[in-house]
Amino acid sequence: MRRNFPFLVASLFFLSLLSISFYYISYKRGQWEKDIRANLLEILIGKKSKLEKALSSRIYYTKGVAAYVSVNPDLSTSDFDQLAKELIKQDSIISSMSIAPNCIISAIYPYEGHEEAVGLDLLAHPARREIVEQTIKTQRTFVAGPVELVEGGIAFISYTPIFNKLPESNGSFWGMTDIVIYKDELLKEASFHTTENGFNYALKGQDGQGHAGDVFWGDEAVFAQNPVTISVDLPDGEWILGASPQTGWNSYLDQDKTLSILLIISSIIISFLFWLVIRSQQQIRTNANELKAIFNSMRNLIVEFDQDGNYIKIAPTNTDLLIKPEHELLGENVTDVLETVVAQQFSSAISQCIQTRKLIIIEYPLVINDKNFWFTGRLSYKKGGTVILSAYDITEKKQDEEKLRQSTEKLKQLNATKDKFFSIIAHDLRSPLASFQSILELLHTDYDSISNDSKKQLIKAIHESSSHLNNLLENLLEWSLSQKNELQFNLQKHNIYNLAEEALKAMQPGSIKKSISISNQISQQTFALCDQRATHTILRNLVSNALKFTKQGGKITVNSHQKQINNRTYWIISIKDSGIGIPSNKLLQLFQLDAQNSTAGTNDEKGSGLGLILCQELVEKQHGSIWIESEEGQGTTVSFSLPAFI
């Protein structure tokens, strides 16, 4: 059945063509007439368009006058003359334009030759009265005529009603404006001729009455000869444009006697060619479906390379995985297409595959259309010193592996955070609370037997422990909020000198106790874009650390200077002390959450190691950075940057 299918289809096609041919031949009359009518209709459409355009451009003059008068009802005669002159200019198709308040003509342009029209009551003329009343009723422009003019000539008259649009008038009727358009000049502009290219033309529809109106241009016989007609649209009504052959429609009805023979022969030839086409398409479709089924089942990319790494062939399997369009790759070498590392990997794999004639598997990255991809490539040896690459997209697998790695890293960080948190609660919070409990218990049980000096020492110990505990709790709270991204930053212009002064005042008890001088050498014009609370916390923690590790009678200096970093201006704030310094092997661990960085101060001051980590997070979230320079026994300088406010 499939083998005979082209013959059956071609036979049906031949019978269809033969039937159509006989059906066509059976037309004794009228066939050519349809073509002529269609062509003639196209001509009429062009003429209709020209006539409507020529007429509309003049009608819009009256609409323009009506629009102007509706908002300027007290228009003077001189103003109307100027307006009409501007609209009409040198338009030879227009005879005159006038306005008629309450339907009585008060002004006409041009005035010369039309003086008798001034004072004419449009409603007093029976023919005009009916037209004017219809125009007022419909509020639409009406084209009357053609009519004979008193001064000579035949013209159309376009009437447009005017309604007062001032707010106090409530849209009352004001009057009329009309324009007189010469008929012959209008039709001449529209390229109308009563006889043209073997056809006669005529117009009917006096006063826009369409088919019911009289013929006012051309031969009346046109409409008695089964003409091709088209309506010419007027603002209110229509004209009918008709055309028919000068020699009548019978001249188009003769047909060529040899047409039947030609049609039959043509049907045979076309059917035979159709049979050949169908048979060829059937074979092509079969082959294409087989190949399509094979290629659609393959989601990998298949490329053939020669021993030098040149692209030879590319199978149409999954060309979206090509780094460039196929036509740009063929004949190119991998070293000219791929990045150096990947190209070397390919060249090595191709050479190894050809030498060993074994399957070689490689993994390689590519950037395709600005997106990163990963592939697994399987290179197989082919006769003739070439290899076949079958590449699979493993981007999702790589992304999953990266997500797993990131999740593992994040889990480690969370575990470190959890351990640090529990360490602080278990040790750094527990120790001062236990100290409170012991001292208070001693005061409670032995208060009367304890000397006043001892009581002062005990109270002093409670004060120091409470200060340490308060600082620890503040750091712990801000650090906790930072970890949950709940710490709000309001970056505004702040004076760093003033913030440093506030932080140093809070450190005065500690500095006095250890006889340490603190100097604020920050310029009073140091303005940075920062968060006030966060910056104060940073300064407080860094000065507190400097006091902790500076010996009795030492010195702490806070200063600032500007620096350009990546084309942006920053303030560098430095806290320098003359303390004990930090061993070099501990410098890299100071900002590690999982490292035990808590070290007792020079007076055995306690700490949690959380302060520096909190400072780092607060600085970085203000688009700055923090670093430490120290030499054991020579003191420490902690510096951080903040964007300068310029």
Side-chain angles (χ1 to χ4, degrees), residues 93-97 149 151 155-158 178-182:
I93 295 178
I94 296 176
S95 170
S96 64
M97 175 182 284
L149 300 176
E151 63 272 19
F156 302 104
I157 303 177
S158 172
D178 67 66
I179 189 169
V180 178
I181 304 168
Y182 288 121

Side-chain angles (χ1 to χ4, degrees), residues 281-334:
Q281 286 184 342
Q282 186 183 40
Q283 188 61 43
I284 293 172
R285 192 179 297 110
T286 300
N287 296 337
N289 289 337
E290 291 176 357
L291 291 174
K292 186 176 180 180
I294 294 172
F295 287 133
N296 285 342
S297 65
M298 303 171 66
R299 299 302 301 164
N300 53 324
L301 178 67
I302 299 176
V303 181
E304 183 177 353
F305 294 97
D306 64 14
Q307 59 185 359
D308 297 323
N310 295 313
Y311 288 83
I312 300 176
K313 294 179 183 178
I314 300 174
T317 52
N318 195 354
T319 54
D320 290 339
L321 301 181
L322 290 173
I323 193 170
K324 288 184 177 180
E326 179 180 350
H327 67 276
E328 295 182 16
L329 289 175
L330 293 176
E332 293 292 324
N333 192 276
V334 291

Side-chain angles (χ1 to χ4, degrees), residues 479-497:
W479 177 72
S480 175
L481 291 173
S482 175
Q483 297 306 301
K484 295 188 293 183
N485 292 321
E486 294 180 2
L487 198 59
Q488 300 296 321
F489 287 83
N490 184 18
L491 301 181
Q492 292 184 347
K493 175 184 178 183
H494 290 290
N495 190 312
I496 303 301
Y497 173 84

Side-chain angles (χ1 to χ4, degrees), residues 510-512 514-518 546-547 550-556:
S511 65
I512 293 172
K514 297 181 74 173
S515 300
I516 296 173
S517 67
I518 305 178
L547 283 170
T550 301
K551 293 181 179 180
Q552 199 83 13
K555 182 180 180 181
I556 298 174

Side-chain angles (χ1 to χ4, degrees), residues 9 61 136 196 301 337 370 381 421 443 458 471 515 520 529:
V9 174
Y61 292 163
I136 297 172
E196 185 178 354
L301 178 67
V337 176
D370 298 327
Y381 177 76
F421 186 79
L443 288 172
L458 291 173
N471 288 336
S515 300
N520 183 4
L529 188 65

Side-chain angles (χ1 to χ4, degrees), residues 340-554:
T340 303
V341 175
V342 179
Q344 291 175 352
Q345 185 182 9
F346 260 82
S347 298
S348 176
I350 291 172
S351 298
Q352 185 180 357
C353 181
I354 292 176
Q355 291 172 5
T356 63
R357 299 192 178 186
K358 292 182 179 180
L359 178 68
I360 304 298
I361 300 176
I362 60 173
E363 282 191 4
Y364 57 94
L366 288 180
V367 178
I368 303 174
N369 295 327
D370 298 327
K371 293 183 179 179
N372 296 319
F373 288 86
W374 271 92
F375 297 91
T376 290
R378 301 168 64 89
L379 291 106
S380 304
Y381 177 76
K382 182 185 176 184
K383 291 181 180 180
T386 63
V387 297
I388 300 295
L389 168 71
S390 179
Y392 298 84
D393 182 3
I394 60 169
T395 306
E396 290 187 6
K397 176 186 174 184
K398 284 289 184 179
Q399 289 174 345
D400 291 340
E401 290 176 355
E402 178 62 20
K403 288 179 182 177
L404 181 60
R405 187 194 66 77
Q406 292 177 358
S407 297
T408 303
E409 185 65 27
K410 186 175 182 181
L411 185 59
K412 288 181 180 179
Q413 293 177 0
L414 291 174
N415 284 332
T417 302
K418 178 196 68 176
D419 293 342
K420 186 65 179 178
F421 186 79
F422 285 136
S423 172
I424 293 169
I425 294 176
H427 181 268
D428 298 304
L429 289 179
R430 184 178 181 183
S431 295
L433 289 174
S435 176
F436 285 166
Q437 187 177 8
S438 298
I439 295 172
L440 291 173
E441 184 177 355
L442 180 61
L443 288 172
H444 177 69
T445 57
D446 301 328
Y447 184 81
D448 293 331
S449 62
I450 301 173
S451 66
N452 288 334
D453 290 338
S454 297
K455 289 177 182 177
K456 289 180 180 179
Q457 291 296 325
L458 291 173
I459 293 172
K460 181 181 178 182
I462 292 175
H463 178 264
E464 290 177 351
S465 295
S466 64
S467 296
H468 169 67
L469 182 61
N470 181 64
N471 288 336
L472 178 61
L473 287 174
E474 283 190 13
N475 286 345
L476 188 61
L477 176 60
E478 293 202 30
W479 177 72
S480 175
L481 291 173
S482 175
Q483 297 306 301
K484 295 188 293 183
N485 292 321
E486 294 180 2
L487 198 59
Q488 300 296 321
F489 287 83
N490 184 18
L491 301 181
Q492 292 184 347
K493 175 184 178 183
H494 290 290
N495 190 312
I496 303 301
Y497 173 84
N498 294 336
L499 294 179
E501 281 291 299
E502 294 177 11
L504 296 181
K505 285 180 182 179
M507 297 294 107
Q508 280 183 354
S511 65
I512 293 172
K513 178 181 176 181
K514 297 181 74 173
S515 300
I516 296 173
S517 67
I518 305 178
S519 175
N520 183 4
Q521 297 182 6
I522 296 176
S523 168
Q524 295 188 18
Q525 299 303 316
T526 303
F527 293 97
L529 188 65
C530 61
D531 180 84
Q532 181 178 4
R533 176 180 173 184
T535 306
H536 184 273
T537 300
I538 296 167
L539 290 167
R540 174 174 55 79
N541 272 282
L542 296 182
V543 174
S544 177
N545 281 349
L547 283 170
K548 178 180 175 183
F549 296 105
T550 301
K551 293 181 179 180
Q552 199 83 13

Side-chain angles (χ1 to χ4, degrees), residues 75-92:
L75 181 73
S76 66
T77 300
S78 61
D79 289 339
F80 169 74
D81 288 342
Q82 187 64 32
L83 177 61
K85 181 180 180 181
E86 183 64 26
L87 288 173
I88 297 174
K89 294 183 178 178
Q90 302 298 323
D91 195 332
S92 61

